[in-house]
């Protein structure tokens, strides 16, 4: 048995965590000396940040704005270590007949968002000169029936999940992504408490290396990735739907203009996001632009050197268990 290590997910162990499922299923964590347990997201009123702070030796996955806000507002001393998704999968879904195609079309509509996306939408509204009062914006818990039951005109979704799940039920939805040149959020960000990062550095380094070895393997073999999800995760019922979701995940993990390799966070892009969060009131105006970001676990602590996570393994999976630094 290796060192017990818990990973708190901000969703189910499905395609969004394919690389993690691969590493668990194929024994990469075990070879790294870790006994990893995945804890899926449950809607119990507790945030994933709160779970991580109280979770012993662990890490978590969350949107970058939640991590930055937790630290900047004094709620939790946590740091982001890596980003599984270089592109945000956050989308706004609507029925095709609603005529909603862009953020401007949300005016006069009833819109439902989750806790991890509502502030991002508020920021995008501001960037587009749209008053929050121009629409009926409501924070809700996840409920796949919100759109089919016509409770709202538009609802939050993840491109790799809800749109595909609704399509499998016979409801094809229109979507648009929340993006702006002033705000380019990271998603599925791996983070951990400062105190544990200081005392268990070796274990976190091994966890990151094994995790991204799993992600690299997934990108090269989607069929086997789907098998790992079936073995240790929560697979989608429709296999064609899951394969389509995995194809989308590959694009999100690889990114379109990343400064480093898979998993790496560009400090300049992170700073731009923090600057946006300051302007939007999500964090205090004096929040440091490097708030909640720890780059020291990357191969040489810089995005340039971190390209090893894209072009090759920084430490081969077979030798992870031998690493002592």
């Amino acid at each position: 048995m290796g060192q017990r290590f818990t990973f708190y997910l901000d969703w189910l162990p499905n395609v969004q965590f394919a690389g993690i499922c691969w590493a668990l299923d194929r024994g990469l964590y075990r070879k790294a000396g870790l006994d990893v347990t995945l804890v899926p997201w449950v809607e119990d009123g507790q945030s994933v940040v709160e779970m991580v702070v109280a979770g012993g030796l662990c890490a978590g996955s969350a949107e970058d704005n939640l991590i930055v806000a937790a630290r900047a507002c004094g709620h939790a001393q946590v740091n982001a270590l890596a980003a599984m998704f270089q592109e945000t999968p956050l989308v706004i879904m609507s029925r095709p007949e609603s005529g909603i195609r862009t953020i401007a079309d949300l005016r006069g509509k009833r819109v439902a968002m989750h806790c991890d996306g509502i502030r991002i939408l508020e920021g995008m509204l501001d960037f587009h000169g749209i008053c929050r009062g121009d629409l009926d914006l409501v924070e809700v818990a996840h409920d796949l029936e919100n759109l089919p039951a016509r409770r709202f005109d538009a609802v939050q979704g993840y491109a790799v999940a809800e749109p595909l799940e609704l399509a499998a039920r016979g409801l094809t939805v229109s979507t648009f992504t929340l993006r702006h040149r002033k705000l380019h959020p990271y998603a599925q960000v791996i983070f951990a408490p400062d105190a544990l990062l200081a005392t268990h550095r070796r274990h976190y380094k091994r966890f990151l290396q094994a995790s991204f070895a799993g992600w690299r393997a997934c990108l090269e073999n989607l069929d086997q990735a789907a098998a790992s999800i079936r073995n240790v995760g929560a697979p989608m019922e429709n296999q064609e739907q899951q394969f389509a979701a995995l194809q989308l995940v590959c694009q999100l993990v690889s990114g379109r203009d990343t400064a480093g390799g898979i998993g790496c966070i560009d400090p300049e892009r992170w700073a731009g996001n923090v600057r946006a969060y300051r302007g939007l009131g999500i964090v205090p105006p004096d929040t440091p632009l490097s708030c909640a970001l720890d780059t020291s676990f990357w191969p040489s602590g810089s995005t340039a050197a971190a390209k090893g996570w894209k072009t090759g393994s920084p430490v081969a999976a077979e030798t992870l268990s031998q690493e002592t630094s």
Side-chain angles (χ1 to χ4, degrees), residues 8 41-42 44-53 66 70 115 191:
Y8 291 94
W41 168 254
V42 292
D44 62 358
Q46 189 177 30
S47 74
V48 68
V49 175
E50 291 170 328
M51 289 189 288
V52 167
V53 169
L66 298 181
C115 64
F191 71 98

Side-chain angles (χ1 to χ4, degrees), residues 7 12 21 32 35 39 51 56-57 70 99 125 171 192 196 205 224 248-249 251 295 302:
F7 190 43
L12 303 177
C21 289
D35 178 15
V39 178
M51 289 189 288
L57 182 57
L125 292 171
L171 176 61
L196 293 174
K205 189 173 183 180
Q224 292 303 311
L248 289 173
V249 163
Q251 299 173 28
T295 65
S302 70

Side-chain angles (χ1 to χ4, degrees), residues 104-187:
D105 298 325
L106 295 179
R107 288 189 175 96
K109 305 297 185 182
R110 185 165 168 77
V111 182
M113 298 293 291
H114 307 157
C115 64
D116 61 346
I118 190 166
R119 302 308 300 273
I120 297 298
L121 177 57
E122 288 175 340
M124 295 298 174
L125 292 171
D126 185 72
F127 292 145
H128 286 85
I130 302 171
C131 237
R132 192 186 191 280
D134 289 347
L135 57 150
D136 184 4
L137 181 57
V138 182
E139 182 177 335
V140 299
H142 175 268
D143 185 343
L144 197 60
E145 291 300 318
N146 276 334
L147 201 59
R150 301 180 185 272
R151 297 168 190 154
F152 302 92
D153 300 303
V155 302
Q156 173 178 324
Y158 256 29
V160 299
E162 291 93 342
L164 297 174
E165 292 168 346
L166 289 172
R169 295 186 179 191
L171 176 61
T172 300
V173 299
S174 297
T175 66
F176 67 85
T177 304
L178 293 176
R179 288 178 183 164
H180 193 276
R181 60 183 177 80
K182 293 182 179 180
L183 180 56
H184 190 181
Y186 284 101

Side-chain angles (χ1 to χ4, degrees), residues 3-6 8 51-59 192-193 196 200 204:
Q3 171 65 52
R4 291 185 178 180
F5 190 102
T6 306
Y8 291 94
M51 289 189 288
V52 167
V53 169
L57 182 57
C58 66
L196 293 174
H200 293 275
Y204 282 104

Side-chain angles (χ1 to χ4, degrees), residues 272-291:
N273 290 344
V274 174
R275 187 178 293 109
Y277 299 146
R278 291 194 312 194
L280 297 167
I282 295 176
V283 299
D286 59 348
T287 299
L289 296 182
S290 60
C291 179

Side-chain angles (χ1 to χ4, degrees), residues 70-121:
R71 184 170 192 112
C73 298
H75 301 316
Q77 294 298 305
V78 292
N79 265 321
L81 309 179
M84 290 182 281
F85 282 6
Q86 295 291 323
E87 303 290 339
T88 177
L90 186 65
V91 295
I92 302 297
M93 306 185 299
S94 61
R95 289 176 169 272
E97 64 269 23
S98 71
I100 298 174
R101 301 291 183 270
T102 69
I103 193 167
D105 298 325
L106 295 179
R107 288 189 175 96
K109 305 297 185 182
R110 185 165 168 77
V111 182
M113 298 293 291
H114 307 157
C115 64
D116 61 346
I118 190 166
R119 302 308 300 273
I120 297 298
L121 177 57

